[in-house]
Amino acid sequence: MDELMISVAPHPGERVGKYKNLPNVPEEVYQSYNEGASIVHLHVRDEKGRQVVNPSLFQRQIKEIRSLCPIIIEGSTGGTTEHTLRERSVSITIRGVELGSLNMGSINMNGGVYKNPFKEIRYYAKRMKSRKIKPIFYIFDLSMFHNVLRLKEEVPFSSPDIFGLIFDIQDGLPFKKRYLEFFIKELPKGALWFLLRHHSRGWRDFRDALELGGHIRVGFEDSPFLTTGGKANSNAELVKEIIKAAKAIGRKVVNPERAREILGIRR
């Protein structure tokens, strides 16, 4: 039976105005963990949900999450292009963060350009390396696989490589199964991959990942919608729906300790 890791990105981010209340991040993480999530993806945000560079709230959330459950914590170097490199990488300086998001290139996004030139990618990678944090290489288009190969020549990380394959970003590449299959063929031998789909509508949008041996990220940051078309009341509902579908096709959902073994990270 193929093992399955589920990552949850619980904060709605820039879409926060479309929600009645800001989520209680530690509680959302804990509920998602109880349903079967083994990884949480987090940005440094303030009380209003805006991306910031002051890590005080982020530190408190990490501490509370750690008191509730042993879920793997991934810190984002996303930030905004207005922030400096050091500001964008503040999340990976916080104790307890085990994985780091690493966007592997610049793309058109949401009516603008999300800038990630290679010299900046190198900077984030070196900071992760110095803190013994493994990167997740986030891929938006084909050229970014080449950037991963370039980066690994300069900043080697331990195996296995971890990829996040991202589709359906506004102005970016839409999801098609043949695109996913092409991306999978470009993965290094032994690499692990997660499918991310913005604006997804339930587990059916992730069926291909479940059937092709991939792992999955869900959460309010990506999309709040269930297969029914309705909005989930919590991130845990999104996780629960994937769990049910995974079990139906023979995927075994793993806990954080097993996920650490698969990912090659030490707590």
Side-chain angles (χ1 to χ4, degrees):
M1 184 181 294
D2 289 335
E3 293 178 304
L4 173 68
M5 294 177 286
I6 296 179
S7 175
V8 62
H11 200 287
E14 284 60 49
R15 295 192 301 274
V16 70
K18 297 182 179 180
Y19 292 77
K20 291 182 180 179
N21 301 296
L22 275 173
N24 180 322
V25 171
E27 184 61 29
E28 289 286 322
V29 173
Y30 181 55
Q31 291 178 8
S32 298
Y33 159 78
N34 283 333
E35 290 296 343
S38 54
I39 303 168
V40 59
H41 169 90
L42 293 174
H43 293 251
V44 177
R45 299 185 183 278
D46 64 13
E47 288 81 356
K48 294 183 178 180
R50 297 171 298 197
Q51 297 204 72
V52 293
V53 298
N54 183 342
S56 57
L57 176 60
F58 185 76
Q59 287 176 308
R60 294 199 301 270
Q61 290 176 340
I62 298 298
K63 185 176 181 179
E64 186 172 349
I65 290 168
R66 277 282 172 260
S67 73
L68 293 170
C69 65
I71 198 166
I72 298 167
I73 296 174
E74 174 195 348
S76 174
T77 59
T80 70
T81 53
E82 289 76 25
H83 293 149
T84 67
L85 302 186
R86 184 170 290 275
E87 289 171 340
R88 281 183 64 173
S89 57
V90 68
S91 72
I92 60 173
T93 68
I94 304 304
R95 185 173 180 175
V97 173
E98 300 168 87
L99 293 172
S101 70
L102 193 53
N103 298 302
M104 292 309 299
S106 302
I107 59 164
N108 293 327
M109 178 189 287
N110 300 330
V113 177
Y114 185 39
K115 298 177 182 179
N116 294 288
F118 190 80
K119 64 180 181 180
E120 297 184 4
I121 296 170
R122 182 192 295 118
Y123 173 89
Y124 302 136
K126 287 182 175 180
R127 294 209 75 186
M128 290 181 197
K129 180 77 172 179
S130 70
R131 299 189 64 84
K132 298 181 173 59
I133 292 174
K134 284 197 75 167
I136 298 183
F137 303 120
Y138 282 108
I139 304 293
F140 296 83
D141 67 34
L142 189 60
S143 66
M144 297 185 189
F145 286 105
H146 177 63
N147 283 346
V148 173
L149 296 177
R150 290 177 61 197
L151 182 68
K152 288 172 61 180
E153 290 179 355
E154 299 182 29
V155 190
F157 288 94
S158 61
S159 298
D161 296 328
I162 311 165
F163 286 77
L165 308 180
I166 303 179
F167 297 90
D168 300 319
I169 290 282
Q170 184 180 347
D171 303 329
L173 187 68
F175 179 85
K176 291 185 180 181
K177 185 176 182 180
R178 69 176 184 269
Y179 296 163
L180 175 61
E181 292 173 335
F182 195 85
F183 275 20
I184 293 171
K185 290 178 181 177
E186 293 298 310
L187 293 170
K189 184 177 181 180
L192 305 167
W193 59 277
F194 288 77
L195 176 62
L196 286 69
R197 292 192 62 180
H198 284 247
H199 316 293
S200 61
R201 293 186 175 271
W203 77 266
R204 288 188 178 86
D205 282 356
F206 293 94
R207 182 195 295 268
D208 293 321
L210 293 172
E211 293 177 345
L212 292 169
H215 307 279
I216 290 173
R217 189 179 102 177
V218 294
F220 286 170
E221 180 176 330
D222 301 337
S223 173
F225 294 107
L226 298 163
T227 300
T228 59
K231 280 187 177 181
N233 292 314
S234 69
N235 286 277
E237 284 190 58
L238 299 169
V239 173
K240 185 176 182 178
E241 189 178 60
I242 296 294
I243 297 285
K244 182 178 180 181
K247 290 180 177 178
I249 66 170
R251 298 291 300 274
K252 179 183 178 181
V253 179
V254 301
N255 63 25
E257 292 309 313
R258 176 56 185 152
R260 286 185 178 91
E261 294 176 1
I262 296 170
L263 296 168
I265 60 177
R266 295 181 180 180
R267 186 171 179 180

